[in-house]
Amino acid sequence: MSDVNPRLAVLASGTGTNLQALMDDPQVGPHIVVVVSDRPEAMALERARARGIEAVVCRPADHPDRASHDRALRDLLLERDVGYVALAGYMRIVGPELIAAFPNRILNLHPALLPAFPGMHAVEDALAWGVKVTGVTVHIVDEEVDHGPIVAQEPVRVREDDDVESLRGRIHEVEHRIFPRAVRALIEGRLKVEGRVVHVLEELEEREGG
Ligand code: GRF
């Protein structure tokens, strides 16, 4: 375990299937203390409430500018003594003050193999480009969008007859598997960051098992 407490916040804007995967992971779920969304109608909030996890709305429209929204979000997390943050389909840029409060302790999930296809429309962009392989990236959040050091990646093949929906479906399956693993490594203090390279230390059982 790391020195940082493993209390985890999950930020989500949408349906929250990745939040669900995190809540369902026995090593991660119990550490989630709050789920925050920028959208009051996000299904992720309902999923959190159904688990008895605090669900909070923090809307940019309620703040005069981006920086004060960022500070409000940071303060909300600090008040709850959060140690780590997982962005599970959070469709906003995380600001510098929030990032500074959680250095190397925020993970983002992206539906493409970064640095290919950053941005909001990664699945559409990959299809339109005609790539034969795309995938999933989990990375540490830094001050540039979809840019920080990479923790995990897995390829997904593009099929001849794929459309956005079918490709997104297979990407989601991979996300639900690799995001909880990466978040587990994060909250267990097993990510060692050296410049752009992240070493993921093995789980204790695996190491002891030889
Ligand atoms: C995921 O595909 C993630 O990569 C992207 O947003 C999507 C969120 O899906 N950033 P869900 O809300 O977890 O179902």
Side-chain angles (χ1 to χ4, degrees):
M1 271 289 171
S2 78
D3 302 340
V4 180
N5 83 64
R7 289 166 67 84
L8 176 69
V10 181
L11 274 51
S13 303
T15 49
T17 63
N18 283 287
L19 163 67
Q20 191 69 49
L22 293 176
M23 293 192 301
D24 290 345
D25 185 293
Q27 258 86 50
V28 176
H31 296 296
I32 303 174
V33 293
V34 64
V35 171
V36 187
S37 184
D38 54 324
R39 296 175 59 235
E41 67 277 21
M43 208 206 290
L45 293 168
E46 283 169 41
R47 290 180 191 267
R49 288 187 200 110
R51 273 297 168 102
I53 295 172
E54 186 188 11
V56 181
V57 177
C58 185
R59 291 195 322 158
D62 295 335
H63 301 273
D65 53 36
R66 197 182 267 209
S68 54
H69 175 249
D70 190 43
R71 272 194 296 277
L73 193 50
R74 177 200 61 192
D75 293 347
L76 189 160
L77 301 181
L78 292 176
E79 276 160 21
R80 285 156 181 81
D81 205 16
V82 160
Y84 297 97
V85 182
L87 308 184
Y90 185 64
M91 303 312 249
R92 303 211 155 259
I93 295 171
V94 176
E97 297 194 51
L98 178 55
I99 295 172
F102 300 94
N104 287 345
R105 290 192 266 130
I106 308 177
L107 286 192
N108 183 42
L109 177 64
H110 185 75
L113 292 176
L114 291 172
F117 310 117
M120 299 276 280
H121 308 290
V123 180
E124 290 87 342
D125 293 347
L127 262 184
W129 197 260
V131 293
K132 304 299 185 196
V133 179
T134 183
V136 174
T137 302
V138 181
H139 68 93
I140 291 174
V141 172
D142 68 7
E143 292 203 10
E144 288 179 55
V145 177
D146 296 333
H147 171 272
I150 291 169
V151 175
Q153 282 187 310
E154 194 169 306
V156 173
R157 274 189 187 284
V158 181
R159 292 180 188 154
E160 198 63 39
D161 59 351
D162 261 332
D163 56 18
V164 171
E165 203 183 325
S166 62
L167 182 56
R168 198 190 297 283
R170 294 203 309 291
I171 285 176
H172 260 111
E173 283 172 27
V174 172
E175 290 184 334
H176 298 161
R177 186 158 38 75
I178 75 169
F179 197 39
R181 271 187 84 100
V183 172
R184 210 184 307 157
L186 174 77
I187 65 178
E188 291 176 358
R190 291 189 284 107
L191 299 185
K192 200 161 158 271
V193 185
E194 286 178 354
R196 279 214 55 93
V197 178
V198 181
H199 302 282
V200 184
L201 306 180
E202 287 172 8
E203 290 175 65
L204 204 54
E205 300 81 9
E206 286 174 22
R207 269 183 281 168
E208 283 174 345

